[in-house]
């Protein structure tokens, strides 16, 4: 248990910091839920998000290669529209 300080700061108990390998300067995310707030290491949130993206792509039948190619096409269109540059065709 921790006490909220004047500027909204809290101390994460040492046992939890050790378990999750948190050290000074590490970023954490605050996730609001119906039951309260979850403090999570940034890497955990990123991995969960990537996992969800992967599941969504699989559900829609989109492969990673298709997603990458789509990104290339979009970048090419943006370069042409914003800067008048044409992507080299290979």
């Amino acid at each position: 248990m921790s006490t909220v300080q004047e500027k909204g700061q809290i101390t994460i108990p040492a046992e939890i910091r050790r378990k999750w390998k948190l050290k000074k300067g590490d970023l954490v995310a605050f996730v609001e839920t119906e039951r309260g707030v979850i403090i999570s290491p940034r890497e955990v949130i990123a991995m969960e998000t990537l996992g969800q993206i992967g599941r969504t792509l699989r559900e829609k039948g989109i492969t990673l290669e298709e997603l990458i190619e789509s990104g290339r096409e979009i970048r090419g269109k943006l370069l042409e529209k914003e800067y008048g540059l044409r992507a080299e065709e290979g």
Side-chain angles (χ1 to χ4, degrees), residues 9-21:
Q9 298 168 319
I10 60 168
T11 299
I12 301 171
E15 180 180 311
I16 293 173
R17 292 194 315 266
R18 280 191 297 273
K19 178 179 180 180
W20 291 96
K21 297 178 177 66

Side-chain angles (χ1 to χ4, degrees), residues 17-29:
R17 292 194 315 266
R18 280 191 297 273
K19 178 179 180 180
W20 291 96
K21 297 178 177 66
L22 293 172
K23 59 189 179 308
K24 181 179 179 180
D26 285 350
L27 295 176
V28 295

Side-chain angles (χ1 to χ4, degrees), residues 11-60:
T11 299
I12 301 171
E15 180 180 311
I16 293 173
R17 292 194 315 266
R18 280 191 297 273
K19 178 179 180 180
W20 291 96
K21 297 178 177 66
L22 293 172
K23 59 189 179 308
K24 181 179 179 180
D26 285 350
L27 295 176
V28 295
F30 293 84
V31 181
E32 189 173 357
T33 71
E34 290 180 13
R35 298 189 66 200
V37 177
I38 298 171
I39 301 172
S40 182
R42 175 183 63 172
E43 292 82 8
V44 171
I45 298 296
M47 293 307 291
E48 287 175 357
T49 302
L50 288 173
Q52 181 59 46
I53 291 169
R55 285 188 293 278
T56 301
L57 290 174
R58 282 191 296 278
E59 288 172 5
K60 295 187 177 290

